[in-house]
């Protein structure tokens, strides 16, 4: 299996509970892919590439959770960056909605829960509840830095910015090394969100198509 570029790879944490041998084998392959790709991860601001753990570490503060919000212009250049303490737990109203520091965001180019029930933790779960269980654990239990980035230069009142979000997870030691969790990728991989299409049927997130293909094997 070919190793994907850093922008298309994320470290996914296997859901707790009984996991089949097929799922375990697939997770092992994905984790090995992620370990290699992260070595060449994006260490500079990028509108689309997945950031490396080194990039996120520059925002980390001892004893604090930090939320970083980056806006990029139409040419992909960093336009604005804000960093603040994450003052309250991240809320996950749906598979594609996030509320961070009281502001609502939506994952770019994705539609929540194409099926009401999915296979999660080797059982049938309500899709929204599964997404909440998985992502709330990442954001609120594991993450020390949360980065979301958008191509929206100015937010519109009452309309959530379209974003991609990443979390720095781990303690940074040999037993629990740093890794980057990629929210968009995880939702697609676990069949909690579907990739949107434009009026011509073209994918709104071609960067996530391979994750959708791999994740489909979990649902078989």
């Amino acid at each position: 299996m070919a190793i994907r570029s850093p922008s298309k790879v994320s470290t996914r944490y296997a859901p707790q509970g009984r996991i089949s041998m097929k799922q375990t084998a697939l997770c092992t392959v994905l984790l090995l892919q992620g370990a290699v790709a992260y070595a060449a991860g994006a260490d500079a601001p990028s509108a689309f590439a997945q950031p490396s753990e080194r990039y996120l570490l520059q925002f980390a503060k001892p004893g604090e959770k930090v939320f970083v919000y980056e806006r990029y212009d139409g040419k992909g250049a960093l336009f604005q960056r804000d960093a603040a303490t994450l003052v309250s737990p991240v809320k996950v109203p749906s598979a594609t909605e996030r509320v961070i520091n009281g502001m609502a965001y939506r994952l770019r180019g994705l539609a929540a829960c194409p099926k009401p029930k999915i296979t999660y933790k080797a059982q049938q779960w309500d899709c929204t509840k599964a997404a909440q269980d998985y992502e709330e654990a990442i954001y609120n239990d594991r993450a020390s830095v949360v980065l979301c980035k958008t191509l929206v230069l100015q937010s519109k009142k009452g309309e959530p910015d379209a974003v991609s979000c990443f979390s720095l997870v781990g303690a940074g030691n040999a037993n629990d090394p740093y890794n980057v969790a990629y929210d968009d990728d995880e939702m697609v991989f676990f069949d909690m969100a579907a990739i949107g299409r434009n009026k011509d049927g073209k994918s709104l997130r071609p960067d996530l198509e391979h994750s959708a293909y791999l994740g489909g094997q979990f649902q078989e």
Side-chain angles (χ1 to χ4, degrees):
M1 184 180 294
I3 294 174
R4 293 179 286 162
S5 65
S7 63
K8 298 181 182 178
V9 178
S10 74
T11 298
R12 304 178 189 88
Y13 295 91
Q16 294 179 354
R18 188 170 174 266
I19 300 175
S20 69
M21 290 181 65
K22 180 179 179 181
Q23 291 173 327
T24 300
L26 185 54
C27 277
T28 300
V29 171
L30 292 167
L31 290 172
L32 288 172
Q33 285 183 325
V36 174
Y38 282 133
D43 291 326
S46 171
F48 300 106
Q50 179 174 326
S52 70
E53 60 269 19
R54 292 183 296 272
Y55 185 80
L56 294 180
L57 271 168
Q58 68 180 305
F59 307 111
K61 294 182 179 180
E64 290 186 24
K65 285 180 177 281
V66 178
F67 174 52
V68 181
Y69 195 54
E70 294 182 339
R71 296 180 189 270
Y72 290 84
D73 64 21
K75 296 181 180 180
L78 182 62
F79 174 76
Q80 181 182 355
R81 178 193 289 139
D82 297 306
T85 300
L86 195 56
V87 297
S88 59
V90 173
K91 296 180 181 179
V92 182
S94 76
T96 57
E97 297 172 290
R98 306 291 179 262
V99 179
I100 306 175
N101 276 356
M103 294 294 294
Y105 304 93
R106 62 178 177 83
L107 300 185
R108 178 174 61 88
L110 301 181
C113 290
K115 295 181 291 187
K117 298 287 185 179
I118 64 169
T119 301
Y120 177 69
K121 295 183 178 179
Q123 297 178 342
Q124 286 292 297
W125 277 60
D126 174 85
C127 176
T128 299
K129 291 181 178 179
Q132 291 168 338
D133 180 81
Y134 186 88
E135 287 300 345
E136 286 177 354
I138 295 292
Y139 282 118
N140 300 324
D141 297 339
R142 298 280 290 148
S144 55
V145 176
V146 174
L147 166 67
C148 293
K149 48 190 179 182
T150 184
L151 298 175
V152 177
L153 296 186
Q154 186 172 358
S155 301
K156 295 181 180 179
K157 186 176 181 180
E159 183 176 324
D161 289 351
V163 300
S164 288
C165 294
F166 310 85
S167 299
L168 179 69
V169 298
N173 56 45
N175 293 324
D176 188 17
Y178 289 123
N179 277 300
V180 179
Y182 184 3
D183 195 343
D184 310 38
D185 185 282
E186 292 157 356
M187 292 297 95
V188 169
F189 180 81
F190 287 115
D191 206 28
M192 297 169 182
I195 297 171
R197 307 282 167 179
N198 65 16
K199 61 182 180 180
D200 297 322
K202 293 183 178 180
S203 174
L204 297 178
R205 294 299 303 270
D207 57 313
L208 299 179
E209 291 289 351
H210 192 55
S211 288
Y213 167 74
L214 290 176
Q217 298 178 59
F218 274 94
Q219 301 301 318
E220 292 179 357

